Amino acid sequence: MKQKKQIIIFTDLDGSLLDKDTFEFDEIEDYFRELISKGIKIIPNSSKTEAELLDFNEQNNLDLSFITENGSSIHGLNKIHQNLPDKIIISRTKDEIQNIYESNISLDFKNKITHILELEIEVQQKILGLPLDKIKPAIKRKHSIPIKFNGTKIEKNEFAKILKNSGLTIQTGGRIMNVCDDVDKSRAMSKVLQLIRKELTDEIITIGVGDNENDIEMIKQTDYPCLVKNENFDSSLINIDNLIKSDEPSPKGWSDVIKTALQKI
Ligand SMILES: [Mg+2]
């Protein structure tokens, strides 16, 4: 008997599925729902918070499992299989991360950093590009410190190195960067797959969709890596053999790459 296939899509949200400015995806919503009704599992893997992802599910009448804050925690795997946990915390708490940050980063670097959480809400709104009602869930971070780095590229690399030596990471997304624990989207994804493979006997086929630096490791480790066009991200240096690229940005680019990937499966 031929083994059943279970397709799982791990996807970034902002700039990949969601329009980078409006955060909507209505243009491809029918197609998105069609995939779900066909039994394809879609797991958002985002730098967004748990509160934002719960909002995303609720506002779109969805019930998706998801990964938050650049791989810091995994939610709702029990929706995929009853034996799987509802919640897995991978990262240390924000306070622990903050303490490590405070004691390892020099004042020189600290002066080059804007802490998003310390700004007035109007300024946060401007930087994050979010409507007022979406600011609150966006700053409810449990495992990461959102920053803007106001230095050169060389300084940023130096900063990343110091963080790494202290057991932390810097994750670069569309609008801001996040100081995180030693986590990333790809490792959280691997954890999800390891758990799912224990419970499902189906052949698991993975598709990964992203548009930025913090998505590359994740998509690289999927069977069908997909990159949605992002004019602010230079993808020419990305070396992934079977990379599927879109000619259009999100959300149209998302459906384009998924269609191409599904044709190949
Ligand atoms: Mg993105």
Side-chain angles (χ1 to χ4, degrees), residues 170-194:
I170 183 83
Q171 314 274 342
T172 306
R175 291 170 187 267
I176 54 162
M177 302 197 296
N178 277 293
V179 176
C180 294
D181 200 351
D182 186 19
V183 295
D184 64 39
K185 290 183 176 187
S186 76
R187 269 185 279 161
M189 177 182 77
S190 302
K191 178 84 189 160
V192 168
L193 287 170
Q194 178 205 335

mmCIF file with all atom_site columns, all heavy atoms in Angstrom, residues 170-194:
data_model
loop_
_atom_site.group_PDB
_atom_site.id
_atom_site.type_symbol
_atom_site.label_atom_id
_atom_site.label_alt_id
_atom_site.label_comp_id
_atom_site.label_asym_id
_atom_site.label_entity_id
_atom_site.label_seq_id
_atom_site.pdbx_PDB_ins_code
_atom_site.Cartn_x
_atom_site.Cartn_y
_atom_site.Cartn_z
_atom_site.occupancy
_atom_site.B_iso_or_equiv
_atom_site.pdbx_formal_charge
_atom_site.auth_seq_id
_atom_site.auth_comp_id
_atom_site.auth_asym_id
_atom_site.auth_atom_id
_atom_site.pdbx_PDB_model_num
ATOM 1   N N   . ILE A 1 170 ? 20.663 37.400 17.702 1.00 0.00 ? 170 ILE A N   1
ATOM 2   C CA  . ILE A 1 170 ? 19.932 38.547 17.170 1.00 0.00 ? 170 ILE A CA  1
ATOM 3   C C   . ILE A 1 170 ? 19.200 38.068 15.917 1.00 0.00 ? 170 ILE A C   1
ATOM 4   O O   . ILE A 1 170 ? 19.775 37.388 15.078 1.00 0.00 ? 170 ILE A O   1
ATOM 5   C CB  . ILE A 1 170 ? 20.894 39.741 16.883 1.00 0.00 ? 170 ILE A CB  1
ATOM 6   C CG1 . ILE A 1 170 ? 20.123 40.959 16.405 1.00 0.00 ? 170 ILE A CG1 1
ATOM 7   C CG2 . ILE A 1 170 ? 21.986 39.407 15.891 1.00 0.00 ? 170 ILE A CG2 1
ATOM 8   C CD1 . ILE A 1 170 ? 19.550 41.773 17.516 1.00 0.00 ? 170 ILE A CD1 1
ATOM 9   N N   . GLN A 1 171 ? 17.918 38.378 15.843 1.00 0.00 ? 171 GLN A N   1
ATOM 10  C CA  . GLN A 1 171 ? 17.104 37.906 14.717 1.00 0.00 ? 171 GLN A CA  1
ATOM 11  C C   . GLN A 1 171 ? 16.614 39.123 13.939 1.00 0.00 ? 171 GLN A C   1
ATOM 12  O O   . GLN A 1 171 ? 15.951 39.987 14.502 1.00 0.00 ? 171 GLN A O   1
ATOM 13  C CB  . GLN A 1 171 ? 15.900 37.118 15.225 1.00 0.00 ? 171 GLN A CB  1
ATOM 14  C CG  . GLN A 1 171 ? 16.220 36.094 16.299 1.00 0.00 ? 171 GLN A CG  1
ATOM 15  C CD  . GLN A 1 171 ? 16.645 34.749 15.752 1.00 0.00 ? 171 GLN A CD  1
ATOM 16  O OE1 . GLN A 1 171 ? 16.404 34.445 14.580 1.00 0.00 ? 171 GLN A OE1 1
ATOM 17  N NE2 . GLN A 1 171 ? 17.265 33.933 16.574 1.00 0.00 ? 171 GLN A NE2 1
ATOM 18  N N   . THR A 1 172 ? 16.973 39.150 12.655 1.00 0.00 ? 172 THR A N   1
ATOM 19  C CA  . THR A 1 172 ? 16.617 40.300 11.833 1.00 0.00 ? 172 THR A CA  1
ATOM 20  C C   . THR A 1 172 ? 15.368 40.019 11.016 1.00 0.00 ? 172 THR A C   1
ATOM 21  O O   . THR A 1 172 ? 15.339 39.101 10.207 1.00 0.00 ? 172 THR A O   1
ATOM 22  C CB  . THR A 1 172 ? 17.782 40.651 10.880 1.00 0.00 ? 172 THR A CB  1
ATOM 23  O OG1 . THR A 1 172 ? 18.944 40.825 11.684 1.00 0.00 ? 172 THR A OG1 1
ATOM 24  C CG2 . THR A 1 172 ? 17.501 41.919 10.107 1.00 0.00 ? 172 THR A CG2 1
ATOM 25  N N   . GLY A 1 173 ? 14.343 40.820 11.270 1.00 0.00 ? 173 GLY A N   1
ATOM 26  C CA  . GLY A 1 173 ? 13.106 40.677 10.512 1.00 0.00 ? 173 GLY A CA  1
ATOM 27  C C   . GLY A 1 173 ? 12.899 41.873 9.614  1.00 0.00 ? 173 GLY A C   1
ATOM 28  O O   . GLY A 1 173 ? 13.847 42.598 9.310  1.00 0.00 ? 173 GLY A O   1
ATOM 29  N N   . GLY A 1 174 ? 11.686 42.095 9.201  1.00 0.00 ? 174 GLY A N   1
ATOM 30  C CA  . GLY A 1 174 ? 11.387 43.148 8.242  1.00 0.00 ? 174 GLY A CA  1
ATOM 31  C C   . GLY A 1 174 ? 11.627 44.555 8.779  1.00 0.00 ? 174 GLY A C   1
ATOM 32  O O   . GLY A 1 174 ? 12.299 45.361 8.146  1.00 0.00 ? 174 GLY A O   1
ATOM 33  N N   . ARG A 1 175 ? 11.098 44.873 9.943  1.00 0.00 ? 175 ARG A N   1
ATOM 34  C CA  . ARG A 1 175 ? 11.157 46.243 10.433 1.00 0.00 ? 175 ARG A CA  1
ATOM 35  C C   . ARG A 1 175 ? 12.122 46.443 11.590 1.00 0.00 ? 175 ARG A C   1
ATOM 36  O O   . ARG A 1 175 ? 12.669 47.520 11.767 1.00 0.00 ? 175 ARG A O   1
ATOM 37  C CB  . ARG A 1 175 ? 9.762  46.688 10.885 1.00 0.00 ? 175 ARG A CB  1
ATOM 38  C CG  . ARG A 1 175 ? 8.806  46.846 9.717  1.00 0.00 ? 175 ARG A CG  1
ATOM 39  C CD  . ARG A 1 175 ? 7.394  47.055 10.199 1.00 0.00 ? 175 ARG A CD  1
ATOM 40  N NE  . ARG A 1 175 ? 6.473  47.041 9.081  1.00 0.00 ? 175 ARG A NE  1
ATOM 41  C CZ  . ARG A 1 175 ? 6.076  48.123 8.430  1.00 0.00 ? 175 ARG A CZ  1
ATOM 42  N NH1 . ARG A 1 175 ? 6.481  49.306 8.815  1.00 0.00 ? 175 ARG A NH1 1
ATOM 43  N NH2 . ARG A 1 175 ? 5.250  48.029 7.403  1.00 0.00 ? 175 ARG A NH2 1
ATOM 44  N N   . ILE A 1 176 ? 12.271 45.413 12.405 1.00 0.00 ? 176 ILE A N   1
ATOM 45  C CA  . ILE A 1 176 ? 13.115 45.549 13.592 1.00 0.00 ? 176 ILE A CA  1
ATOM 46  C C   . ILE A 1 176 ? 13.992 44.301 13.755 1.00 0.00 ? 176 ILE A C   1
ATOM 47  O O   . ILE A 1 176 ? 13.891 43.360 12.979 1.00 0.00 ? 176 ILE A O   1
ATOM 48  C CB  . ILE A 1 176 ? 12.254 45.704 14.881 1.00 0.00 ? 176 ILE A CB  1
ATOM 49  C CG1 . ILE A 1 176 ? 11.251 44.539 14.987 1.00 0.00 ? 176 ILE A CG1 1
ATOM 50  C CG2 . ILE A 1 176 ? 11.528 47.031 14.904 1.00 0.00 ? 176 ILE A CG2 1
ATOM 51  C CD1 . ILE A 1 176 ? 10.681 44.357 16.363 1.00 0.00 ? 176 ILE A CD1 1
ATOM 52  N N   . MET A 1 177 ? 14.815 44.344 14.815 1.00 0.00 ? 177 MET A N   1
ATOM 53  C CA  . MET A 1 177 ? 15.569 43.147 15.171 1.00 0.00 ? 177 MET A CA  1
ATOM 54  C C   . MET A 1 177 ? 15.113 42.735 16.565 1.00 0.00 ? 177 MET A C   1
ATOM 55  O O   . MET A 1 177 ? 14.606 43.557 17.325 1.00 0.00 ? 177 MET A O   1
ATOM 56  C CB  . MET A 1 177 ? 17.063 43.449 15.188 1.00 0.00 ? 177 MET A CB  1
ATOM 57  C CG  . MET A 1 177 ? 17.578 43.973 13.858 1.00 0.00 ? 177 MET A CG  1
ATOM 58  S SD  . MET A 1 177 ? 19.359 43.869 13.702 1.00 0.00 ? 177 MET A SD  1
ATOM 59  C CE  . MET A 1 177 ? 19.906 44.944 14.970 1.00 0.00 ? 177 MET A CE  1
ATOM 60  N N   . ASN A 1 178 ? 15.294 41.481 16.897 1.00 0.00 ? 178 ASN A N   1
ATOM 61  C CA  . ASN A 1 178 ? 14.954 41.004 18.224 1.00 0.00 ? 178 ASN A CA  1
ATOM 62  C C   . ASN A 1 178 ? 16.149 40.317 18.855 1.00 0.00 ? 178 ASN A C   1
ATOM 63  O O   . ASN A 1 178 ? 16.789 39.481 18.215 1.00 0.00 ? 178 ASN A O   1
ATOM 64  C CB  . ASN A 1 178 ? 13.795 40.002 18.158 1.00 0.00 ? 178 ASN A CB  1
ATOM 65  C CG  . ASN A 1 178 ? 12.444 40.694 18.101 1.00 0.00 ? 178 ASN A CG  1
ATOM 66  O OD1 . ASN A 1 178 ? 12.025 41.341 19.053 1.00 0.00 ? 178 ASN A OD1 1
ATOM 67  N ND2 . ASN A 1 178 ? 11.779 40.587 16.958 1.00 0.00 ? 178 ASN A ND2 1
ATOM 68  N N   . VAL A 1 179 ? 16.427 40.680 20.100 1.00 0.00 ? 179 VAL A N   1
ATOM 69  C CA  . VAL A 1 179 ? 17.418 39.936 20.870 1.00 0.00 ? 179 VAL A CA  1
ATOM 70  C C   . VAL A 1 179 ? 16.666 38.755 21.470 1.00 0.00 ? 179 VAL A C   1
ATOM 71  O O   . VAL A 1 179 ? 15.688 38.927 22.197 1.00 0.00 ? 179 VAL A O   1
ATOM 72  C CB  . VAL A 1 179 ? 18.037 40.808 21.983 1.00 0.00 ? 179 VAL A CB  1
ATOM 73  C CG1 . VAL A 1 179 ? 18.983 39.966 22.833 1.00 0.00 ? 179 VAL A CG1 1
ATOM 74  C CG2 . VAL A 1 179 ? 18.764 42.006 21.385 1.00 0.00 ? 179 VAL A CG2 1
ATOM 75  N N   . CYS A 1 180 ? 17.118 37.559 21.135 1.00 0.00 ? 180 CYS A N   1
ATOM 76  C CA  . CYS A 1 180 ? 16.421 36.346 21.565 1.00 0.00 ? 180 CYS A CA  1
ATOM 77  C C   . CYS A 1 180 ? 17.385 35.416 22.290 1.00 0.00 ? 180 CYS A C   1
ATOM 78  O O   . CYS A 1 180 ? 18.600 35.610 22.253 1.00 0.00 ? 180 CYS A O   1
ATOM 79  C CB  . CYS A 1 180 ? 15.869 35.590 20.356 1.00 0.00 ? 180 CYS A CB  1
ATOM 80  S SG  . CYS A 1 180 ? 14.579 36.445 19.456 1.00 0.00 ? 180 CYS A SG  1
ATOM 81  N N   . ASP A 1 181 ? 16.817 34.402 22.887 1.00 0.00 ? 181 ASP A N   1
ATOM 82  C CA  . ASP A 1 181 ? 17.609 33.325 23.455 1.00 0.00 ? 181 ASP A CA  1
ATOM 83  C C   . ASP A 1 181 ? 18.302 32.600 22.289 1.00 0.00 ? 181 ASP A C   1
ATOM 84  O O   . ASP A 1 181 ? 18.136 32.971 21.130 1.00 0.00 ? 181 ASP A O   1
ATOM 85  C CB  . ASP A 1 181 ? 16.676 32.364 24.212 1.00 0.00 ? 181 ASP A CB  1
ATOM 86  C CG  . ASP A 1 181 ? 17.440 31.518 25.231 1.00 0.00 ? 181 ASP A CG  1
ATOM 87  O OD1 . ASP A 1 181 ? 18.680 31.541 25.226 1.00 0.00 ? 181 ASP A OD1 1
ATOM 88  O OD2 . ASP A 1 181 ? 16.763 30.840 26.027 1.00 0.00 ? 181 ASP A OD2 1
ATOM 89  N N   . ASP A 1 182 ? 19.039 31.561 22.594 1.00 0.00 ? 182 ASP A N   1
ATOM 90  C CA  . ASP A 1 182 ? 19.706 30.803 21.542 1.00 0.00 ? 182 ASP A CA  1
ATOM 91  C C   . ASP A 1 182 ? 18.662 29.937 20.829 1.00 0.00 ? 182 ASP A C   1
ATOM 92  O O   . ASP A 1 182 ? 18.636 28.719 20.975 1.00 0.00 ? 182 ASP A O   1
ATOM 93  C CB  . ASP A 1 182 ? 20.819 29.949 22.165 1.00 0.00 ? 182 ASP A CB  1
ATOM 94  C CG  . ASP A 1 182 ? 21.639 29.255 21.109 1.00 0.00 ? 182 ASP A CG  1
ATOM 95  O OD1 . ASP A 1 182 ? 21.588 29.698 19.945 1.00 0.00 ? 182 ASP A OD1 1
ATOM 96  O OD2 . ASP A 1 182 ? 22.314 28.278 21.446 1.00 0.00 ? 182 ASP A OD2 1
ATOM 97  N N   . VAL A 1 183 ? 17.787 30.619 20.097 1.00 0.00 ? 183 VAL A N   1
ATOM 98  C CA  . VAL A 1 183 ? 16.701 29.926 19.396 1.00 0.00 ? 183 VAL A CA  1
ATOM 99  C C   . VAL A 1 183 ? 16.713 30.388 17.943 1.00 0.00 ? 183 VAL A C   1
ATOM 100 O O   . VAL A 1 183 ? 17.355 31.374 17.616 1.00 0.00 ? 183 VAL A O   1
ATOM 101 C CB  . VAL A 1 183 ? 15.316 30.286 19.991 1.00 0.00 ? 183 VAL A CB  1
ATOM 102 C CG1 . VAL A 1 183 ? 15.172 29.797 21.418 1.00 0.00 ? 183 VAL A CG1 1
ATOM 103 C CG2 . VAL A 1 183 ? 15.044 31.791 19.919 1.00 0.00 ? 183 VAL A CG2 1
ATOM 104 N N   . ASP A 1 184 ? 16.034 29.673 17.085 1.00 0.00 ? 184 ASP A N   1
ATOM 105 C CA  . ASP A 1 184 ? 15.705 30.214 15.762 1.00 0.00 ? 184 ASP A CA  1
ATOM 106 C C   . ASP A 1 184 ? 14.529 29.438 15.182 1.00 0.00 ? 184 ASP A C   1
ATOM 107 O O   . ASP A 1 184 ? 14.124 28.410 15.718 1.00 0.00 ? 184 ASP A O   1
ATOM 108 C CB  . ASP A 1 184 ? 16.916 30.261 14.825 1.00 0.00 ? 184 ASP A CB  1
ATOM 109 C CG  . ASP A 1 184 ? 17.480 28.901 14.486 1.00 0.00 ? 184 ASP A CG  1
ATOM 110 O OD1 . ASP A 1 184 ? 16.688 27.961 14.300 1.00 0.00 ? 184 ASP A OD1 1
ATOM 111 O OD2 . ASP A 1 184 ? 18.708 28.774 14.383 1.00 0.00 ? 184 ASP A OD2 1
ATOM 112 N N   . LYS A 1 185 ? 14.000 29.980 14.101 1.00 0.00 ? 185 LYS A N   1
ATOM 113 C CA  . LYS A 1 185 ? 12.801 29.386 13.510 1.00 0.00 ? 185 LYS A CA  1
ATOM 114 C C   . LYS A 1 185 ? 13.053 27.950 13.058 1.00 0.00 ? 185 LYS A C   1
ATOM 115 O O   . LYS A 1 185 ? 12.168 27.103 13.137 1.00 0.00 ? 185 LYS A O   1
ATOM 116 C CB  . LYS A 1 185 ? 12.351 30.222 12.312 1.00 0.00 ? 185 LYS A CB  1
ATOM 117 C CG  . LYS A 1 185 ? 11.790 31.582 12.668 1.00 0.00 ? 185 LYS A CG  1
ATOM 118 C CD  . LYS A 1 185 ? 11.298 32.300 11.416 1.00 0.00 ? 185 LYS A CD  1
ATOM 119 C CE  . LYS A 1 185 ? 10.648 33.630 11.771 1.00 0.00 ? 185 LYS A CE  1
ATOM 120 N NZ  . LYS A 1 185 ? 10.019 34.258 10.591 1.00 0.00 ? 185 LYS A NZ  1
ATOM 121 N N   . SER A 1 186 ? 14.268 27.678 12.590 1.00 0.00 ? 186 SER A N   1
ATOM 122 C CA  . SER A 1 186 ? 14.537 26.347 12.041 1.00 0.00 ? 186 SER A CA  1
ATOM 123 C C   . SER A 1 186 ? 14.567 25.287 13.142 1.00 0.00 ? 186 SER A C   1
ATOM 124 O O   . SER A 1 186 ? 14.085 24.171 12.959 1.00 0.00 ? 186 SER A O   1
ATOM 125 C CB  . SER A 1 186 ? 15.837 26.331 11.248 1.00 0.00 ? 186 SER A CB  1
ATOM 126 O OG  . SER A 1 186 ? 16.934 26.334 12.100 1.00 0.00 ? 186 SER A OG  1
ATOM 127 N N   . ARG A 1 187 ? 15.132 25.648 14.290 1.00 0.00 ? 187 ARG A N   1
ATOM 128 C CA  . ARG A 1 187 ? 15.207 24.651 15.358 1.00 0.00 ? 187 ARG A CA  1
ATOM 129 C C   . ARG A 1 187 ? 13.831 24.332 15.941 1.00 0.00 ? 187 ARG A C   1
ATOM 130 O O   . ARG A 1 187 ? 13.537 23.193 16.278 1.00 0.00 ? 187 ARG A O   1
ATOM 131 C CB  . ARG A 1 187 ? 16.189 25.093 16.439 1.00 0.00 ? 187 ARG A CB  1
ATOM 132 C CG  . ARG A 1 187 ? 17.584 24.548 16.117 1.00 0.00 ? 187 ARG A CG  1
ATOM 133 C CD  . ARG A 1 187 ? 18.554 24.838 17.203 1.00 0.00 ? 187 ARG A CD  1
ATOM 134 N NE  . ARG A 1 187 ? 19.033 26.210 17.069 1.00 0.00 ? 187 ARG A NE  1
ATOM 135 C CZ  . ARG A 1 187 ? 19.612 26.887 18.043 1.00 0.00 ? 187 ARG A CZ  1
ATOM 136 N NH1 . ARG A 1 187 ? 19.755 26.329 19.230 1.00 0.00 ? 187 ARG A NH1 1
ATOM 137 N NH2 . ARG A 1 187 ? 20.041 28.108 17.837 1.00 0.00 ? 187 ARG A NH2 1
ATOM 138 N N   . ALA A 1 188 ? 12.984 25.378 16.039 1.00 0.00 ? 188 ALA A N   1
ATOM 139 C CA  . ALA A 1 188 ? 11.620 25.135 16.523 1.00 0.00 ? 188 ALA A CA  1
ATOM 140 C C   . ALA A 1 188 ? 10.874 24.251 15.529 1.00 0.00 ? 188 ALA A C   1
ATOM 141 O O   . ALA A 1 188 ? 10.134 23.336 15.909 1.00 0.00 ? 188 ALA A O   1
ATOM 142 C CB  . ALA A 1 188 ? 10.894 26.451 16.722 1.00 0.00 ? 188 ALA A CB  1
ATOM 143 N N   . MET A 1 189 ? 11.102 24.498 14.250 1.00 0.00 ? 189 MET A N   1
ATOM 144 C CA  . MET A 1 189 ? 10.470 23.683 13.224 1.00 0.00 ? 189 MET A CA  1
ATOM 145 C C   . MET A 1 189 ? 10.923 22.223 13.330 1.00 0.00 ? 189 MET A C   1
ATOM 146 O O   . MET A 1 189 ? 10.090 21.303 13.255 1.00 0.00 ? 189 MET A O   1
ATOM 147 C CB  . MET A 1 189 ? 10.805 24.226 11.832 1.00 0.00 ? 189 MET A CB  1
ATOM 148 C CG  . MET A 1 189 ? 10.246 23.384 10.704 1.00 0.00 ? 189 MET A CG  1
ATOM 149 S SD  . MET A 1 189 ? 10.699 24.000 9.072  1.00 0.00 ? 189 MET A SD  1
ATOM 150 C CE  . MET A 1 189 ? 12.383 23.426 8.969  1.00 0.00 ? 189 MET A CE  1
ATOM 151 N N   . SER A 1 190 ? 12.226 22.013 13.526 1.00 0.00 ? 190 SER A N   1
ATOM 152 C CA  . SER A 1 190 ? 12.731 20.644 13.654 1.00 0.00 ? 190 SER A CA  1
ATOM 153 C C   . SER A 1 190 ? 12.090 19.932 14.837 1.00 0.00 ? 190 SER A C   1
ATOM 154 O O   . SER A 1 190 ? 11.776 18.740 14.760 1.00 0.00 ? 190 SER A O   1
ATOM 155 C CB  . SER A 1 190 ? 14.244 20.635 13.873 1.00 0.00 ? 190 SER A CB  1
ATOM 156 O OG  . SER A 1 190 ? 14.873 21.289 12.822 1.00 0.00 ? 190 SER A OG  1
ATOM 157 N N   . LYS A 1 191 ? 11.910 20.676 15.916 1.00 0.00 ? 191 LYS A N   1
ATOM 158 C CA  . LYS A 1 191 ? 11.274 20.107 17.107 1.00 0.00 ? 191 LYS A CA  1
ATOM 159 C C   . LYS A 1 191 ? 9.840  19.664 16.769 1.00 0.00 ? 191 LYS A C   1
ATOM 160 O O   . LYS A 1 191 ? 9.417  18.561 17.135 1.00 0.00 ? 191 LYS A O   1
ATOM 161 C CB  . LYS A 1 191 ? 11.270 21.178 18.218 1.00 0.00 ? 191 LYS A CB  1
ATOM 162 C CG  . LYS A 1 191 ? 10.603 20.772 19.495 1.00 0.00 ? 191 LYS A CG  1
ATOM 163 C CD  . LYS A 1 191 ? 11.558 19.992 20.370 1.00 0.00 ? 191 LYS A CD  1
ATOM 164 C CE  . LYS A 1 191 ? 10.850 19.380 21.557 1.00 0.00 ? 191 LYS A CE  1
ATOM 165 N NZ  . LYS A 1 191 ? 11.586 18.290 22.152 1.00 0.00 ? 191 LYS A NZ  1
ATOM 166 N N   . VAL A 1 192 ? 9.121  20.531 16.075 1.00 0.00 ? 192 VAL A N   1
ATOM 167 C CA  . VAL A 1 192 ? 7.743  20.208 15.677 1.00 0.00 ? 192 VAL A CA  1
ATOM 168 C C   . VAL A 1 192 ? 7.726  18.932 14.829 1.00 0.00 ? 192 VAL A C   1
ATOM 169 O O   . VAL A 1 192 ? 6.938  18.015 15.067 1.00 0.00 ? 192 VAL A O   1
ATOM 170 C CB  . VAL A 1 192 ? 7.115  21.384 14.876 1.00 0.00 ? 192 VAL A CB  1
ATOM 171 C CG1 . VAL A 1 192 ? 5.818  20.965 14.200 1.00 0.00 ? 192 VAL A CG1 1
ATOM 172 C CG2 . VAL A 1 192 ? 6.878  22.579 15.792 1.00 0.00 ? 192 VAL A CG2 1
ATOM 173 N N   . LEU A 1 193 ? 8.636  18.882 13.864 1.00 0.00 ? 193 LEU A N   1
ATOM 174 C CA  . LEU A 1 193 ? 8.645  17.728 12.948 1.00 0.00 ? 193 LEU A CA  1
ATOM 175 C C   . LEU A 1 193 ? 9.012  16.435 13.682 1.00 0.00 ? 193 LEU A C   1
ATOM 176 O O   . LEU A 1 193 ? 8.418  15.382 13.440 1.00 0.00 ? 193 LEU A O   1
ATOM 177 C CB  . LEU A 1 193 ? 9.622  17.985 11.801 1.00 0.00 ? 193 LEU A CB  1
ATOM 178 C CG  . LEU A 1 193 ? 9.118  19.015 10.791 1.00 0.00 ? 193 LEU A CG  1
ATOM 179 C CD1 . LEU A 1 193 ? 10.223 19.409 9.822  1.00 0.00 ? 193 LEU A CD1 1
ATOM 180 C CD2 . LEU A 1 193 ? 7.904  18.483 10.033 1.00 0.00 ? 193 LEU A CD2 1
ATOM 181 N N   . GLN A 1 194 ? 9.960  16.548 14.593 1.00 0.00 ? 194 GLN A N   1
ATOM 182 C CA  . GLN A 1 194 ? 10.380 15.379 15.370 1.00 0.00 ? 194 GLN A CA  1
ATOM 183 C C   . GLN A 1 194 ? 9.183  14.825 16.154 1.00 0.00 ? 194 GLN A C   1
ATOM 184 O O   . GLN A 1 194 ? 8.946  13.617 16.187 1.00 0.00 ? 194 GLN A O   1
ATOM 185 C CB  . GLN A 1 194 ? 11.502 15.840 16.299 1.00 0.00 ? 194 GLN A CB  1
ATOM 186 C CG  . GLN A 1 194 ? 12.055 14.802 17.230 1.00 0.00 ? 194 GLN A CG  1
ATOM 187 C CD  . GLN A 1 194 ? 12.669 15.474 18.472 1.00 0.00 ? 194 GLN A CD  1
ATOM 188 O OE1 . GLN A 1 194 ? 13.086 16.639 18.435 1.00 0.00 ? 194 GLN A OE1 1
ATOM 189 N NE2 . GLN A 1 194 ? 12.710 14.755 19.565 1.00 0.00 ? 194 GLN A NE2 1
#
